[in-house]
Amino acid sequence: MVRKDFLRSAELFHHIENRYYYLFSKSGFTDEVKANAQIEGITLVALEDLFLVE
């Protein structure tokens, strides 16, 4: 549901030809989110992608 709302709200910027979608998460992504992101062309960014987390 959130994914659909996210993509629907992006349509407000219909005049922008090239759109790039990024979702950020502190705790990671479920397998379902990963699969849908791959289909929809959404880049997933987890906390460990941004910082060196030990």
Side-chain angles (χ1 to χ4, degrees):
M1 184 61 113
V2 172
R3 181 180 54 83
K4 288 183 181 182
D5 290 341
F6 172 72
L7 293 173
R8 189 175 327 125
S9 65
E11 292 301 318
L12 294 171
F13 302 98
H14 57 84
H15 58 284
I16 298 175
E17 194 170 313
N18 296 318
R19 288 181 249 169
Y20 303 92
Y21 303 107
Y22 291 83
L23 290 179
F24 295 85
S25 174
K26 181 179 176 182
S27 59
F29 299 95
T30 64
D31 290 337
E32 181 181 5
V33 170
K34 290 177 185 177
N36 285 324
Q38 188 172 13
I39 293 167
E40 299 287 349
I42 299 170
T43 301
L44 301 177
V45 182
L47 183 64
E48 60 266 12
D49 298 327
L50 296 173
F51 303 102
L52 177 59
V53 179
E54 297 180 11

